[in-house]
Amino acid sequence: MSHSETAKTAASKPRKARILIIEDSLDHWTIIQNAINESFDLPVAVRVSNAEQALSYLQNAQDMGTPLPQVVLLDLYLPTRQQGWQFLENVKNQPAPVSLIPVVVLSHSSDPADIVESYDRGASSYLTKPTDLRAWQTCFQTLSEYWWDAVRLPESRSFQ
Amino acid sequence: MSHSETAKTAASKPRKARILIIEDSLDHWTIIQNAINESFDLPVAVRVSNAEQALSYLQNAQDMGTPLPQVVLLDLYLPTRQQGWQFLENVKNQPAPVSLIPVVVLSHSSDPADIVESYDRGASSYLTKPTDLRAWQTCFQTLSEYWWDAVRLPESRSFQ
């Protein structure tokens, strides 16, 4: 896709997405919701505010046979980073298809120790939170173009 | 970054990158090299043609204290998928910093079993190979914008 095509795609927002967002800040959730609505067509973006709720959500989806999220966005500090890491480890130690869901950390922290430890515990990638509205929009546009336009997600066989 | 800024960035190619590419097709390597040179400024793109050479390259870099690649692109069928998966498992079972390097599968296969198994063995993401030159260019532009512009790579502490 060329840049002009990228712009066209963004304008028509053809990407559907099921995203689970673990975010304890209501302010950030409001910003994220707007950015998601700008970047996707018919997004299903579910927010939970802590790791326990996220694990319950995944368990319930499995029990009920409803679709799992395609990607999880994880705010690392919930409010401590141990809670974010515990969620990562728990998900990655579960059987497929839950273990296969890419978990992308989206944190205010740019501490190299947080970055390294997150990859070590199974994060697919680590992004730092943007600092202005335009950068939030760009961030979700990039996530959308990478995970939904370019990447083949593991859901292809397991849970669609 | 807006679309116009994305285009500007692409034009000035400010992104440096160290990429290890495991690719057994010389034709695809030629295409990849061109796409990388279009998407990055001063890229260090090293090609090896099988998993053994890739593991040796990583071992040598550690022994010599030279920088490890920031991202590995893995052609799954080398020529069988078992070889690709063996490389993935080997890398993910090594100690940090090698285990932390994101491994992105870039394969001709869109077989859902290949996709699921690759995530299960630690692939950061799975992309299918483009079918025309323009799509190859877009693919590397997207990889560049995601992994080098948006993501914080684990090298921040371990090996820079």
Side-chain angles (χ1 to χ4, degrees):
Chain A
M1 201 182 299
S2 71
H3 292 301
S4 59
E5 282 175 309
T6 305
K8 196 177 79 183
T9 306
S12 57
K13 294 190 299 180
R15 304 175 201 91
K16 297 177 183 181
R18 297 190 309 277
I19 316 174
L20 176 62
I21 293 132
I22 311 171
E23 174 58 70
D24 62 355
S25 155
L26 199 54
D27 287 349
H28 284 172
W29 167 238
T30 305
I31 295 169
I32 288 169
Q33 241 182 334
N34 289 335
I36 285 176
N37 287 332
E38 290 290 320
S39 301
F40 297 95
D41 186 37
L42 299 176
V44 179
V46 173
R47 177 218 173 198
V48 293
S49 57
N50 62 51
E52 292 70 31
Q53 288 174 2
L55 293 169
S56 294
Y57 178 85
L58 296 173
Q59 188 59 54
N60 284 344
Q62 292 208 288
D63 293 345
M64 306 291 286
T66 53
L68 284 164
Q70 297 162 300
V71 170
V72 173
L73 293 184
L74 171 66
D75 179 20
L76 187 58
Y77 285 73
L78 296 163
T80 73
R81 60 187 184 180
Q82 275 74 23
Q83 287 158 291
W85 286 334
Q86 211 163 4
F87 172 79
L88 256 174
E89 283 186 352
N90 190 309
V91 163
K92 293 301 159 186
N93 285 330
Q94 286 192 36
V98 169
S99 63
L100 306 180
I101 304 172
V103 178
V104 175
V105 173
L106 187 56
S107 171
H108 72 278
S109 166
S110 56
D111 179 347
D114 288 351
I115 297 171
V116 166
E117 285 286 325
S118 295
Y119 281 98
D120 199 36
R121 288 159 198 250
S124 272
S125 39
Y126 188 109
L127 283 77
T128 47
K129 283 185 177 171
T131 51
D132 64 59
L133 278 177
R134 188 172 166 186
W136 273 100
Q137 183 52 52
T138 303
C139 174
F140 276 85
Q141 188 64 36
T142 302
L143 285 166
S144 167
E145 287 173 6
Y146 187 71
W147 288 104
W148 281 270
D149 286 349
V151 163
R152 304 292 298 256
L153 288 159
E155 64 165 2
S156 315
R157 191 179 63 176
S158 296
F159 42 95
Q160 200 167 35
Chain B
M1 200 184 300
S2 70
H3 292 301
S4 60
E5 281 175 312
T6 304
K8 196 177 78 184
T9 306
S12 58
K13 294 191 299 181
R15 305 174 200 94
K16 298 178 181 179
R18 296 191 309 277
I19 316 174
L20 176 63
I21 293 133
I22 311 171
E23 173 58 71
D24 62 356
S25 155
L26 200 54
D27 287 349
H28 283 172
W29 167 239
T30 305
I31 295 169
I32 288 170
Q33 241 181 335
N34 289 335
I36 285 175
N37 287 332
E38 290 288 322
S39 301
F40 297 94
D41 185 37
L42 299 175
V44 179
V46 173
R47 177 218 173 198
V48 294
S49 56
N50 61 51
E52 293 69 31
Q53 288 174 2
L55 292 170
S56 295
Y57 177 86
L58 295 173
Q59 188 60 55
N60 285 344
Q62 291 208 289
D63 293 345
M64 306 291 284
T66 53
L68 285 164
Q70 296 162 299
V71 171
V72 173
L73 293 184
L74 171 66
D75 180 21
L76 187 59
Y77 285 74
L78 295 164
T80 72
R81 60 187 184 179
Q82 276 73 23
Q83 287 158 290
W85 286 334
Q86 212 163 4
F87 172 79
L88 255 174
E89 283 187 352
N90 191 308
V91 163
K92 294 300 159 186
N93 285 329
Q94 286 191 36
V98 169
S99 62
L100 306 180
I101 304 171
V103 179
V104 175
V105 173
L106 188 56
S107 171
H108 72 278
S109 166
S110 56
D111 179 347
D114 288 352
I115 297 171
V116 166
E117 284 286 326
S118 295
Y119 280 98
D120 199 36
R121 289 158 198 251
S124 272
S125 38
Y126 188 108
L127 283 77
T128 47
K129 283 184 176 171
T131 50
D132 64 58
L133 278 177
R134 188 171 166 188
W136 273 100
Q137 182 53 50
T138 303
C139 174
F140 276 85
Q141 189 65 36
T142 302
L143 284 167
S144 167
E145 287 173 5
Y146 187 71
W147 289 104
W148 280 270
D149 285 349
V151 164
R152 303 293 298 255
L153 287 160
E155 64 165 0
S156 315
R157 192 179 63 174
S158 295
F159 42 96
Q160 200 167 35

